[in-house]
Amino acid sequence: MTPTPVVPHNHLRQVVEGMRWIAGLTRDPEGTWLAWARGHAVPVPLGTFAEVVRIPAPMGRAAVAVLLAHAPELVGPVIVDEWAGAVDIFVPSDIFVPGAPPVRQGDDVKLIGRCQDPPPVVICPSPGRRAVGRRWLCPPRALPGHCAVLTDPHRLAEALALSRGPLAAAG
């Protein structure tokens, strides 16, 4: 019999606060929680507080592994979209400001955020479940009363650069 992993209480509280923050980005936070309780995914608008960097799954998983190896406490929410073969990494909304961090589009890396018309959404599954081919690789986390932890775009750019070496060697 395989033992059930024990989630530390403080980590569980951080995930609940992070999901509360994500739900608060929607027009109907209570409805969002109800949908998640039923195992449904919910569209969450982007642009006000967070944007998403969409990366092909192999490259995205490698970059997230680099981020987790160096500073796991600084990794924000990450969703794996198995149907699209992509990883969505939440970053602060100021990534599109002139002089923004060096996460560059190309190699199928896409910045999804407020500069698009119509404003985009990201489909967020319920915590701990898979919905419409999407699941949390790293769930949202936040300290009580604070916004969620979001991945720093500078660190993400560095992780992408570091992860391209092993991917190129394996390809």
Side-chain angles (χ1 to χ4, degrees), residues 21-110:
W21 180 79
I22 293 280
L25 298 176
T26 68
R27 290 183 185 197
D28 182 9
E30 289 181 30
T32 297
W33 279 103
L34 184 59
W36 282 336
R38 293 179 178 156
H40 299 281
V42 175
V44 175
L46 293 172
T48 305
F49 297 104
E51 312 295 342
V52 163
V53 176
R54 176 165 267 213
I55 306 167
M59 185 188 314
R61 283 191 172 113
V64 169
V66 169
L67 289 166
L68 290 171
H70 291 94
E73 70 282 359
L74 299 177
V75 179
V78 178
I79 296 175
V80 174
D81 185 334
E82 294 163 349
W83 292 355
V87 172
D88 292 343
I89 301 174
F90 285 70
V91 296
S93 62
D94 60 1
I95 189 169
F96 292 107
V97 172
V103 175
R104 293 183 179 88
Q105 295 192 69
D107 298 327
D108 296 324
V109 173
K110 295 179 180 136

